[in-house]
Amino acid sequence: FLLGLSQERLNMEPTLPAVSTFCVGTCALYILCHSYIARFLSLPQDKDIMYICPFSRPVKGKVFITNYRLYFKSADADPSVTLNVPLGAIGRVEKMGGASSRGENSYGLDITCKDMRNLRFALKQEGHSRRDIFDILFRYAFPLSHGLVLTTCNLFSDWVFVYPGPQGLPTDKWRITFINDNYELCDTYPTILVVPFKATEEDLRKVSTFRSRGRIPVLSWIHRENQAVICRCSQPLVGMSGKRNKDDERYLDVIREANGTAKLTIYDARPSVNAVANKATGGGYEGDDTYQNAELVFLDIHNIHVMRESLKKLKDIVYPNVEESHWLSSLESTHWLEHIKLVLSGAIQVADKISGGNSVVVHCSDGWDRTAQLTSLAMLMLDSHYRTLRGFQVLLEKEWISFGHKFASRIGHGDKNHADQDRSPIFVQFIDCVWQMTKQFPTAFEFNERLLMTILDHLFSCRFGTFLYNCESARDTNEVRSKTVSLWSLVNSDSTSYLNPFYTPESSRVLYPVASMRHLELWVTYYIRWNPRIRQQHPHHQQTNMVQAHQDIHEEGTTKPIPPRETEKIWRGSSDPQKVLQLHHREHPDDPEQLPGMARRHYRG
């Protein structure tokens, strides 16, 4: 029915973001692709859309669908109800009810989202009224399953290029190699690698045959003072027969010798039972008898399937309703915080070993999930540069994007197969761990909670090319850097919105978070943000923005004080209340009566 708009133009790859707008509930379908406008497609006049809001009564309104987002706006509700959902965040679209379904609002669509919410829309049953909206939504929410391209934009670009040296690199021990320039050594590694100086190119090729997916041990981070290193890789291909590879054994010993470590510590992220089981599929682990100058430590972090089921259970207890009477036992049954604890605990062990001057090698099975979690968290603990806004961007680009975390497989960008066993919230779990650290060290990070939430929102949205595809070779093939824009373009164009005003730079400080269930919290601002009954009144980034604004006023020489009620709100939600009170005291010297309630009592104490 698309008059005046050829199928060829619909399928072409956009140089500017193609926008296809479908208005359901009025009388026409508009499609805008580049500067071309399609002719009208008439829809039935009586197509009413009802949003079945889980927190109140059903809301009548209109739904607009473009090839980027679904937008709903209520017609007569007070207050107005709006929904703004990127299609990339949709994981599943199902038809609800049938032509013979009984009951009010029993016929329509169920939409399951990847960002911890579900949507339900009801339509009238006459004349297959949901067919148009279902077909349009299914096509554009899952473009790769329909031969389309993901809709992104290339108006401007701010890609973070990560070059591993030579700054701070002791050239007599480590060197840069371009052996993977054409992705011939390992198609999921970046083109530039840092390896031991003593290892030849032929050594690297021999080692790659004994490591899963060819992911050899390479340098991730080096301690500036004691020269201890974090290297990352995949599991050795030992198999049931207990195969050995002299080149691999010698290569790990060269890593050990680089800073004179007595024994190289190999951190295997898996539970030992899983590592043994992987032998049956040709994998395995480094045995003490073959790697005599190394010690092996299992960190007991479960696999992607366990994490996927854990997050599903968490979603079940936080959306749409939170059962207050059994909240703690329900949260415990999800095991989500227990998994967060194990990941943090493993990273702490890595950081502690490095601080003591001992080099480590980190791997899981293929070295792109739990390995990335452990190396990047350990680097956050060890290196204050990665706790800055720009440094955190570099960390994600290096440890997650360049080293081949399988974003496309784990998130399912543009793919309708919601039951794909490769999907798993590994990166969400990592960001949760970072949030836990920011809660325990509120002055150690230059960025705020808003940055973390923005990253996760656009992990799903497909608006930017940053998290598209599984590895660098796939991004090069699909010309991501020239055809899309980086998420960091958005962040760096408004960097002040993502800054923590309590940040205090401490270049030599190593952070050791407490990985105890008593000190870990559910990230309510993210996981339960869609529930208006639970939503925090003043999210942390809003609190910090208010404090920053008042700091700016003070620095400009004005005498306008912080309104006492605002100070009280900021104080109640702040993870560093003493700093808020110091700021208040500076503007209200010797006048605690200006500060009401709980904060005044704390002030006097």
Side-chain angles (χ1 to χ4, degrees), residues 376-566:
S376 49
L377 286 171
M379 291 160 64
L380 268 178
M381 296 173 193
L382 290 163
D383 195 334
S384 61
H385 170 65
Y386 295 119
R387 303 196 286 266
T388 65
L389 181 62
R390 189 74 177 183
F392 191 64
Q393 298 171 30
V394 171
L395 181 68
L396 299 189
E397 287 282 344
K398 182 168 73 74
E399 291 301 299
W400 289 87
I401 298 168
S402 292
F403 273 109
H405 175 65
K406 299 172 66 176
F407 284 104
S409 298
R410 298 292 178 256
I411 306 303
H413 292 141
D415 185 3
K416 67 180 181 180
N417 186 11
H418 60 84
D420 188 347
Q421 292 298 298
D422 271 349
R423 298 198 183 181
S424 188
I426 299 301
F427 186 72
V428 174
Q429 190 177 56
F430 160 72
I431 295 294
D432 193 330
C433 289
V434 176
W435 179 81
Q436 301 287 347
M437 290 180 63
T438 65
K439 289 289 288 183
Q440 294 192 28
F441 301 97
T443 64
F445 292 83
E446 186 185 28
F447 53 86
N448 59 22
E449 181 185 56
R450 182 178 184 180
L451 175 72
L452 302 180
M453 295 183 68
T454 299
I455 289 171
L456 290 185
D457 283 344
H458 292 299
L459 170 69
F460 303 123
S461 75
C462 299
R463 176 181 170 186
F464 302 97
T466 304
F467 302 120
L468 299 185
Y469 302 103
N470 282 333
C471 56
E472 289 290 86
S473 60
R475 293 183 193 99
D476 285 354
T477 300
N478 290 278
E479 303 177 67
V480 165
R481 280 194 169 88
S482 61
K483 293 182 177 179
T484 74
V485 73
S486 168
L487 170 59
W488 314 128
S489 299
L490 172 70
V491 172
N492 295 329
S493 67
D494 185 25
S495 59
T496 55
S497 295
Y498 304 98
L499 295 179
N500 170 21
F502 301 127
Y503 174 60
T504 304
E506 296 179 86
S507 59
S508 60
R509 184 185 183 189
V510 178
L511 306 183
Y512 290 111
V514 180
S516 164
M517 295 297 287
R518 291 178 302 163
H519 290 82
L520 300 179
E521 303 176 29
L522 180 67
W523 188 6
V524 172
T525 313
Y526 178 73
Y527 295 116
I528 319 185
R529 60 177 163 160
W530 308 118
N531 190 328
R533 303 184 189 120
I534 305 296
R535 187 183 303 154
Q536 294 180 348
Q537 292 182 354
H538 298 281
H540 182 65
H541 68 265
Q542 292 181 12
Q543 298 165 3
T544 56
N545 284 346
M546 286 197 296
V547 174
Q548 184 67 60
H550 289 299
Q551 286 176 329
D552 293 342
I553 290 172
H554 184 86
E555 290 167 1
E556 290 169 7
T558 68
T559 58
K560 182 179 180 180
I562 299 180
R565 286 190 180 276
E566 278 193 16

Side-chain angles (χ1 to χ4, degrees), residues 6 8-9 37 44 60 80-81 104 115 133 138 187 302 316-317 338 373 397-398 462 475 478 496 516 546 567 593 599:
S6 69
E8 178 181 358
R9 178 154 294 283
I37 301 179
K60 183 179 179 180
S80 177
V81 175
E104 188 178 8
D115 59 2
I133 186 173
F138 203 74
D187 62 358
H302 290 282
D316 288 342
I317 71 166
E338 183 180 332
Q373 290 178 329
E397 287 282 344
K398 182 168 73 74
C462 299
R475 293 183 193 99
N478 290 278
T496 55
S516 164
M546 286 197 296
T567 307
E593 296 306 319

Side-chain angles (χ1 to χ4, degrees), residues 20-68:
S20 308
T21 304
F22 302 84
C23 175
V24 181
T26 54
C27 63
L29 164 66
Y30 302 83
I31 298 183
L32 176 64
C33 185
H34 300 278
S35 58
Y36 293 80
I37 301 179
R39 296 183 184 179
F40 292 109
L41 170 65
S42 294
L43 297 175
Q45 291 283 349
D46 60 345
K47 184 170 287 189
D48 295 325
I49 298 290
M50 193 75 71
Y51 168 51
I52 312 302
C53 179
F55 311 112
S56 63
R57 60 180 176 82
V59 181
K60 183 179 179 180
K62 298 176 182 179
V63 167
F64 301 86
I65 303 174
T66 73
N67 60 354
Y68 172 68

